[in-house]
């Protein structure tokens, strides 16, 4: 006589359950990385550009105060060049660069005597997620440039 043995398949169900859970976790992490992280990083870069504009305004007021008092003492101002990336996720850190540009040809006539400005300070915000913007301190004003727009003086 033959004996029939039942085969237990309970171990297979545990392996399939573990694979499905790993797949679910991978889908959730991918969804966060592809949808929410770019939105968060865009907001962080926008906040950083607001901070840079405030710092540029402070720098402009310091230059104005120095010009009004006719002082030749050195001044300093803080300027944040970039924003940090998010930990544990694949993000790109935004960067910026500050340069003294000697190509400007701005001039102002005051009581018939022309005053020329031979240089300007330019911050180039090399954003990845947010619109690239340049802030230029020239001729006593702050100029904001964007790639597809006209420069605006604040």
């Amino acid at each position: 006589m033959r004996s029939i043995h039942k085969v237990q398949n309970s171990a297979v169900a545990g392996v399939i359950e573990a694979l499905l859970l790993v797949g679910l976790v991978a889908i959730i992490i991918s969804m966060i990385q592809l949808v929410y992280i770019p939105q968060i990083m865009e907001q962080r870069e926008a906040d950083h550009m607001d901070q840079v504009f405030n710092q540029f305004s402070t720098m402009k007021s310091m230059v104005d105060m120095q010009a009004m008092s006719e002082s030749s003492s050195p001044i300093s101002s803080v300027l944040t060049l970039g924003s940090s990336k998010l930990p544990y996720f694949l993000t790109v850190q935004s960067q910026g660069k500050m340069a003294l540009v000697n190509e400007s040809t701005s001039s102002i006539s005051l009581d018939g005597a022309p005053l020329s400005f031979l240089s300007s300070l330019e911050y180039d915000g090399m954003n990845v997620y947010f619109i690239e913007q340049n802030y230029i301190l020239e001729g006593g004003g702050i100029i904001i440039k964007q790639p597809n727009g006209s420069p605006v003086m604040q």
Side-chain angles (χ1 to χ4, degrees):
M1 242 185 112
R2 280 187 180 181
S3 65
I4 299 176
H5 298 287
K6 285 189 175 181
V7 178
Q8 297 281 333
N9 289 331
S10 61
V12 175
V15 170
I16 291 175
E17 180 181 341
L19 288 175
L20 289 175
L21 285 175
V22 168
L24 181 64
V25 168
I27 289 172
I28 290 172
I29 290 174
S30 297
M31 180 74 99
I32 291 171
Q33 181 69 44
L34 294 174
V35 176
Y36 296 110
I37 296 300
Q39 293 173 356
I40 292 169
M41 289 304 293
E42 181 179 8
Q43 185 60 44
R44 286 182 80 164
E45 285 185 354
D47 292 342
H48 170 251
M49 293 309 290
D50 288 341
Q51 180 184 18
V52 168
F53 181 73
N54 290 336
Q55 291 170 342
F56 247 72
S57 297
T58 302
M59 188 184 323
K60 179 195 175 307
S61 68
M62 292 175 73
V63 169
D64 290 345
M65 291 297 291
Q66 187 177 27
M68 286 175 43
S69 66
E70 297 179 1
S71 171
S72 62
S73 61
I75 59 173
S76 65
S77 181
V78 175
L79 189 65
T80 308
L81 293 179
S83 63
S84 61
K85 58 184 183 177
L86 288 175
Y88 308 115
F89 289 102
L90 296 174
T91 58
V92 178
Q93 180 177 355
S94 70
Q95 299 176 359
K97 69 177 181 179
M98 184 75 170
L100 183 64
V101 181
N102 289 323
E103 299 172 1
S104 66
T105 58
S106 300
S107 64
I108 297 174
S109 178
L110 183 65
D111 295 331
L115 300 173
S116 295
F117 297 96
L118 300 176
S119 61
S120 62
L121 291 173
E122 181 175 354
Y123 173 79
D124 184 11
M126 297 176 278
N127 294 327
V128 178
Y129 300 95
F130 190 63
I131 299 169
E132 286 193 27
Q133 293 179 338
N134 292 1
Y135 294 130
I136 304 166
L137 179 61
E138 179 178 350
I142 298 174
I143 301 169
I144 302 172
K145 285 188 348 184
Q146 293 181 351
N148 296 327
S150 298
V152 176
M153 181 174 265
Q154 293 281 327

